[in-house]
Amino acid sequence: MSVIWIILSCLLSFGGLSLSNSLSVNASSRPKNVSVGAIFTLNSTIGKVAKIAIEQAVKDVNANSSVLPGTTLLVDIRDINCSGFLGLIEALRFMETDSVAVIGPQSSVVAHTILHVAKELQTPFLSFAATDPTLSSLQFPYFIRTTISDLYQMMAVTEIVYHYGWKEVTVIYLDDDYGRNGLAALDDALAARRCRVSYKAGISPGDISRNEVMDILVNVALKQSRVIVIHANRAAGLLVFDVAQQIGMLEDGYVWIATDWLASVLDTGFQHISIDNLQGVLVLRQHTSNSERRRSFLARWNKLTSGSLGLSTYALYAYDTVWLLAHALDSFFDQGGVISFSKNPNLQSSAGSLLNLDSMLKFDGGLLLKNNILQSDFVGLTGPVKFNSGNSLVFPAYEILNIIGTSLHRIGYWSNYSGLSTVVPESLYSRPQNRSSARQQLHGVIWPGEAVKTPRGWVFPSSGKQLRIGVPIRVGYREFVSQVPGTNTFKGFCIDVFTAAVDLLPYAVPYQFIPFGNGHENPNYNQLVKLITTGFFDGAVGDIAIVTNRTRIVDFTQPYAASGLVVVAPVKKSNTGGWAFLRPFSLQMWGVSAAFFIFIGIVVWILEHRTNDEFRGPPKQQLITILWFSLSTLFFAHRENTVSTLGRVVLLIWLFVVLIINSSYTASLTSILTVQQLHSPIKGIESLKEGKEPIGYQTGSFAEHYLSESIGIPSSRLKPLGSAEEYATALQLGPENGGVSAVVDERPYVELFLSSQCKFRIIGQEFTKSGWGFAFPRDSPLSIDLSTAILTLSENGELQRIHDKWLTQSSCSSDNTELESDRLHLNSFVGLYLLCGLACFIALLIYFCQIINKFRRAAASGYASDGPGSLRSGHLRTLLSIIDEKSDPSKRESKRRKLDSLSLSESSRGVYL
């Protein structure tokens, strides 16, 4: 509504300025002149260079016969003195003329005010300096940005922050549409990289005093972040640097990143600027290609200005904007477009009204001209002038500069295509896109205070506030952490690790330990961690396990102690007894082994029965032979020889299996008889899951949630225990007397418990993997630095020394007992049995194929009876007789003599010859 009232006021002021009801240039050919308006602040840093650039571009266009032939381009430049109100007035004035487009506005604030006019009257506005990202929205369809949006500039700032490993930044911004919307774009870009804006300091867009800037910077200095992004204008930005230099905020440890406003100031000249206030500052500047045409224009510029005014990138974009409009108009006329205006039916003056709304004319060819502008594709002073589907210039890129001495040193580039790079973006556009972190590179930087080492980017706030570090008050296992009675002092393994790590930091960490818990039972560690997210604690130190639900809300340091859940249960010494020789094998193993011994005896008997006299005889004798042969192979004492090839193969494989079984049995039995064994009915977490006995866990531990939610053990079976003494009592009582069958707890606690409790042992393997760490708020830089310190403690042996000081106890080390290992089960030998069984199957298959072959030959010779019934019985008798008959050894002997005779004759022939 405010915009409408401004429009009405302007129309009241300029009601006498009207055109005819319809102004048109109906041209079957190109018009002689075409008018374009231009509105910006002539006395500003950008306006000074833009005026010269636009005037030179108009001359060049009119002198070029290939663009707008026969038509003269006229540009009417008007000064709005950086005022949104004046900008609206001048825009309305252009709407009362035959201007087909407007170059400008320069300011994003002015653009937000006047672009409603452009939409209503369908006149394209081409801005070479309004960088507010929100101007590209669908709300302003006739706004065309001919420079790079701040959306990309804030992405470049984010890439720099991420490249140097900083997590938080402070932003000093101009509190208007330009500053606020740029800040919003930066906030979004940082969030995508898990970084954030930790503090926002707005500056009044009008006149601001030195004292006001002083107050802003004092508040900034009290904050944690030392990475400061300044997104302002010339007046406010230079005043900020002047005051920052005065109060020592341009010294070692600070990082200053200025957006492209500072580059435009420095490019136009260092006059009246205290360059000493800018040492070490990083500056972004729009990247333009270093072409021959650009260098030629630079030489021409120096002649025009006599070297008194530098050439900024905004001047180049202003120059290309004129050419962009000329090319679009040329295409507009080629397509038969005419310059004609008509009344807007929405703007009609009522009877007796002093508002001359009829003078506001709509450009009939506005849509066609806008489309031609967006479809333009040519090479200008800045490089390729072409728009993508989002109506932004293609290949947005920035140069990253470092102010050193009296010059700007380029440390690299950023482009939306390749990210950070030390080579010009144009050389990367032809290569495959690669945004990997390994390819993100920048040259060395001289930071504020002439520092060459990259600043850490943060400090503890200098407000005198100490970090509130929550520490659990433990009831049991006080060796890890415990409170000294009557004080807020803590001691223990975890406390010593934390203090040793803090001592390694290159800066002081003011902190105080705050006890957490009632002192009667172990506190809930999940609640301790949640208090960090609320701000009640600035961190937590103690035996805090790093588990999934906690890592979702806080950041942990590098683990300083390995951990994981284990099962501890009572064990008893196993008595060997008179039947100890049966213990090496499980019942299943004994049964399968016995079956295989008999099976092998039968297979060998089948394969040897026809050819071996030792496997023939009465049925009773053959049965005894089978049993004796199979059992005697256990001791390699079988006296029957195998003569068939298949029998020997089967026996060879079986003897190998027997060798392995004998060796394993002997080793296991030796261990049982010579080493004292411990026995427990519980075999691990799986046996606990399948049982129904109660299970103990430590009060406050994450073990309860893991056992109930992840393992699926009912909560009714879980019993909380608070100390090592309660562990021992509950385990000794057992489930029958109100105790527990086992305790599930983290390994460090269990190892400390077992160092003095010799009746219990860890059963099975560790079934979770985790560690203990110190907890801090998300994205806290302290967690990163302490992680590095913990790694240093681990490497130099200090961490082990602290561990030995608090946790090494060995009262049970002299008890040379071992927990009984599992028996040898069938699955350990299944491969051997399968191999042996397969050999038997193949041998039997070959044997029976031979038998069937003989049977067929016998049946073919007419050996069976004639009748059908007798035929079937005759075949069966023939088959059985073939299986049972003894193979004639004379045939083999005859064959052997023939071979010997043939060999003898061959040798005699050789002697004769």
Side-chain angles (χ1 to χ4, degrees):
M1 292 298 295
S2 60
V3 173
I4 295 175
W5 282 111
I6 293 175
I7 293 175
L8 293 177
S9 300
C10 295
L11 291 175
L12 283 171
S13 301
F14 298 99
L17 298 175
S18 63
L19 296 177
S20 60
N21 290 339
S22 177
L23 172 64
S24 66
V25 181
N26 189 1
S28 58
S29 61
R30 293 171 179 263
K32 183 177 181 180
N33 298 316
V34 59
S35 298
V36 174
I39 51 176
F40 49 88
T41 304
L42 299 182
N43 195 35
S44 64
T45 301
I46 296 175
K48 291 177 182 178
V49 295
K51 181 177 183 297
I52 301 174
I54 291 174
E55 290 172 347
Q56 294 305 309
V58 171
K59 290 180 181 180
D60 294 344
V61 167
N62 290 329
N64 193 318
S65 59
S66 64
V67 180
L68 292 177
T71 300
T72 301
L73 179 63
L74 303 177
V75 178
D76 184 6
I77 300 177
R78 298 183 184 179
D79 185 13
I80 62 172
N81 197 25
C82 203
S83 168
F85 179 73
L86 293 179
L88 177 60
I89 292 176
E90 295 301 338
L92 293 172
R93 282 181 173 177
F94 283 128
M95 299 303 102
E96 294 181 328
T97 67
D98 58 350
S99 296
V100 297
V102 177
I103 298 175
Q106 168 190 329
S107 167
S108 298
V109 177
V110 176
H112 276 280
T113 303
I114 68 176
L115 287 182
H116 298 280
V117 176
K119 178 181 178 181
E120 191 67 30
L121 301 177
Q122 298 183 6
T123 303
F125 276 65
L126 294 83
S127 178
F128 56 87
T131 57
D132 178 0
T134 63
L135 292 174
S136 299
S137 66
L138 298 177
Q139 183 182 8
F140 307 114
Y142 282 86
F143 174 77
I144 301 167
R145 193 196 320 272
T146 59
T147 186
I148 305 176
S149 168
D150 276 342
L151 176 67
Y152 298 106
Q153 180 169 212
M154 297 312 170
M155 291 172 62
V157 172
T158 299
E159 293 278 2
I160 295 172
V161 171
Y162 185 77
H163 176 72
Y164 289 111
W166 302 316
K167 292 296 184 181
E168 296 181 354
V169 301
T170 295
V171 180
I172 301 175
Y173 66 99
L174 205 61
D175 196 4
D176 57 12
D177 291 328
Y178 159 73
R180 287 191 299 270
N181 294 327
L183 169 63
L186 177 61
D187 214 350
D188 292 341
L190 287 171
R193 289 286 194 172
R194 289 197 64 183
C195 304
R196 69 188 185 98
V197 177
S198 60
Y199 183 68
K200 306 169 185 177
I203 302 177
S204 173
D207 294 334
I208 184 170
S209 67
R210 191 178 187 88
N211 289 335
E212 290 175 314
V213 173
M214 179 76 73
D215 293 340
I216 291 173
L217 291 184
V218 167
N219 288 330
V220 170
L222 294 176
K223 304 304 178 183
Q224 178 173 286
S225 174
R226 284 294 181 264
V227 180
I228 304 171
V229 178
I230 178 166
H231 186 54
N233 56 21
R234 174 191 175 110
L238 293 180
L239 182 57
V240 166
F241 280 115
D242 188 26
V243 176
Q245 174 70 23
Q246 177 184 347
I247 63 177
M249 293 182 66
L250 283 164
E251 300 298 329
D252 186 11
Y254 279 92
V255 176
W256 287 84
I257 303 175
T259 52
D260 58 6
W261 67 268
L262 183 55
S264 64
V265 172
L266 298 176
D267 287 340
T268 54
F270 285 88
Q271 297 86 352
H272 310 295
I273 298 176
S274 178
I275 197 66
D276 292 338
N277 297 339
L278 304 173
Q279 296 302 302
V281 175
L282 295 183
V283 185
L284 274 74
R285 177 170 65 192
Q286 299 103 324
H287 172 68
T288 56
S289 60
N290 187 21
S291 61
E292 180 61 34
R293 186 181 174 192
R294 181 180 181 275
R295 290 191 294 268
S296 175
F297 184 79
L298 178 59
R300 178 180 167 192
W301 180 274
N302 291 332
K303 291 181 181 179
L304 288 171
T305 61
S306 301
S308 61
L309 190 62
L311 178 63
S312 72
T313 54
Y314 284 108
L316 300 177
Y317 282 112
Y319 181 91
D320 282 350
T321 301
V322 176
W323 275 93
L324 171 64
L325 189 54
H327 282 291
L329 286 169
D330 200 29
S331 300
F332 174 81
F333 293 133
D334 286 342
Q335 296 170 8
V338 297
I339 300 177
S340 63
F341 300 86
S342 59
K343 293 181 180 180
N344 190 329
N346 297 325
L347 299 175
Q348 296 292 333
S349 297
S350 59
S353 173
L354 297 177
L355 297 176
N356 193 11
L357 297 179
D358 292 340
S359 64
M360 308 301 296
L361 301 174
K362 181 179 70 173
F363 178 32
D364 297 329
L367 180 60
L368 178 60
L369 179 59
K370 184 195 76 168
N371 292 336
N372 282 324
I373 293 172
L374 295 176
Q375 293 170 7
S376 298
D377 186 2
F378 67 97
V379 178
L381 296 183
T382 58
V385 180
K386 183 179 180 181
F387 295 90
N388 58 25
S389 58
N391 296 346
S392 297
L393 289 175
V394 296
F395 301 133
Y398 284 87
E399 299 175 8
I400 304 170
L401 311 173
N402 185 204
I403 302 177
I404 305 174
T406 58
S407 60
L408 297 174
H409 291 260
R410 186 185 298 110
I411 64 169
Y413 303 87
W414 177 90
S415 72
N416 192 40
Y417 184 79
S418 58
L420 300 177
S421 174
T422 54
V423 299
V424 292
E426 289 84 357
S427 64
L428 300 174
Y429 294 149
S430 59
R431 305 178 189 176
Q433 189 174 18
N434 189 343
R435 297 294 295 270
S436 63
S437 57
R439 297 293 296 272
Q440 307 299 295
Q441 297 178 350
L442 291 175
H443 291 303
V445 179
I446 303 297
W447 304 98
E450 299 183 357
V452 295
K453 182 180 179 181
T454 301
R456 187 171 64 252
W458 69 279
V459 295
F460 285 102
S462 55
S463 58
K465 175 187 173 183
Q466 291 182 318
L467 295 179
R468 291 172 52 87
I469 304 297
V471 182
I473 303 177
R474 293 197 55 85
V475 176
Y477 299 110
R478 297 171 62 85
E479 293 87 349
F480 293 104
V481 57
S482 63
Q483 185 178 17
V484 178
T487 69
N488 283 336
T489 304
F490 287 81
K491 63 180 181 178
F493 169 69
C494 303
I495 301 299
D496 281 6
V497 173
F498 176 75
T499 55
V502 169
D503 290 342
L504 291 178
L505 298 179
Y507 50 86
V509 180
Y511 64 88
Q512 57 178 332
F513 289 137
I514 307 297
F516 175 74
N518 55 24
H520 302 295
E521 62 179 2
N522 293 332
N524 188 304
Y525 281 39
N526 287 333
Q527 293 180 2
L528 171 62
V529 171
K530 287 180 181 178
L531 287 177
I532 299 176
T533 64
T534 64
F536 184 80
F537 288 137
D538 299 312
V541 170
D543 46 341
I544 306 171
I546 304 173
V547 294
T548 304
N549 64 321
R550 296 172 186 172
T551 57
R552 292 193 181 105
I553 58 176
V554 297
D555 280 349
F556 282 92
T557 62
Q558 169 78 19
Y560 62 87
S563 181
L565 293 179
V566 294
V567 176
V568 60
V571 292
K572 297 179 180 179
K573 294 182 179 181
S574 298
N575 184 14
T576 55
W579 297 96
F581 66 91
L582 295 177
R583 286 174 52 193
F585 285 165
S586 64
L587 182 61
Q588 186 183 27
M589 182 66 183
W590 280 116
V592 172
S593 298
F596 250 88
F597 273 101
I598 297 174
F599 174 69
I600 292 299
I602 295 173
V603 170
V604 172
W605 176 85
I606 292 174
L607 297 176
E608 294 290 322
H609 176 68
R610 297 184 69 250
T611 58
N612 194 336
D613 291 336
E614 294 180 353
F615 288 87
R616 299 185 66 83
K620 180 178 180 181
Q621 180 180 348
Q622 294 183 47
L623 180 61
I624 294 173
T625 300
I626 291 173
L627 294 176
W628 166 255
F629 177 82
S630 59
L631 293 176
S632 62
T633 56
L634 179 63
F635 309 102
F636 304 98
H638 53 284
R639 61 188 180 184
E640 294 81 5
N641 294 321
T642 53
V643 297
S644 68
T645 303
L646 294 177
R648 290 175 177 177
V649 171
V650 170
L651 184 59
L652 178 64
I653 296 175
W654 172 244
L655 292 178
F656 175 74
V657 174
V658 169
L659 176 65
I660 300 300
I661 294 175
N662 275 338
S663 301
S664 303
Y665 176 86
T666 303
S668 180
L669 183 61
T670 301
S671 175
I672 292 173
L673 296 178
T674 58
V675 179
Q676 178 63 58
Q677 302 289 316
L678 299 177
H679 169 71
S680 173
I682 297 173
K683 302 303 179 183
I685 188 63
E686 289 300 326
S687 63
L688 283 180
K689 179 180 178 181
E690 295 170 359
K692 297 182 179 180
E693 297 82 6
I695 303 170
Y697 69 91
Q698 185 178 175
T699 305
S701 171
F702 76 96
E704 178 188 12
H705 179 270
Y706 184 85
L707 292 173
S708 60
E709 299 296 331
S710 300
I711 302 297
I713 297 176
S715 299
S716 58
R717 292 181 56 197
L718 303 179
K719 182 175 182 179
L721 303 171
S723 64
E725 291 74 15
E726 291 186 26
Y727 280 19
T729 302
L731 289 171
Q732 288 174 352
L733 288 175
E736 298 83 5
N737 301 313
V740 297
S741 61
V743 170
V744 175
D745 203 355
E746 296 178 70
R747 180 174 286 275
Y749 303 121
V750 171
E751 289 178 346
L752 187 60
F753 169 71
L754 295 180
S755 65
S756 59
Q757 297 289 338
C758 307
K759 298 179 181 179
F760 313 104
R761 286 291 186 274
I762 294 176
I763 308 298
Q765 301 296 320
E766 188 174 272
F767 55 93
T768 67
K769 293 290 184 181
S770 63
W772 289 352
F774 306 130
F776 293 95
R778 296 298 296 269
D779 301 322
S780 171
L782 190 59
S783 63
I784 299 175
D785 290 352
L786 277 177
S787 294
T788 304
I790 290 171
L791 289 174
T792 303
L793 291 175
S794 177
E795 292 169 358
N796 62 20
E798 182 65 15
L799 190 60
Q800 185 62 43
R801 187 194 66 79
I802 298 174
H803 178 276
D804 295 343
K805 170 185 174 183
W806 289 98
L807 306 180
T808 300
Q809 299 181 18
S810 56
S811 60
C812 290
S813 61
S814 59
D815 190 1
N816 187 23
T817 58
E818 293 183 2
L819 187 66
E820 178 185 293
S821 59
D822 289 339
R823 290 178 171 181
L824 297 174
H825 292 274
L826 179 61
N827 56 3
S828 301
F829 302 92
V830 66
L832 289 172
Y833 283 128
L834 285 176
L835 179 64
C836 186
L838 182 62
C840 292
F841 173 77
I842 294 175
L844 289 174
L845 181 64
I846 295 174
Y847 174 79
F848 282 113
C849 286
Q850 294 173 346
I851 294 298
I852 295 300
N853 188 35
K854 290 184 179 183
F855 169 74
R856 287 178 177 177
R857 288 200 301 268
S861 63
Y863 178 75
S865 300
D866 295 336
S870 61
L871 179 63
R872 286 193 296 270
S873 61
H875 284 176
L876 180 59
R877 287 195 300 271
T878 302
L879 178 62
L880 294 176
S881 64
I882 292 174
I883 293 175
D884 187 61
E885 74 174 350
K886 183 175 182 344
S887 178
D888 188 1
S890 62
K891 293 182 180 180
R892 296 197 304 271
E893 184 66 22
S894 175
K895 184 177 180 180
R896 185 183 63 81
R897 284 199 295 268
K898 287 181 180 180
L899 292 176
D900 292 341
S901 175
L902 180 61
S903 176
L904 181 62
S905 63
E906 289 292 338
S907 61
S908 300
R909 186 182 307 171
V911 172
Y912 176 78
L913 292 175

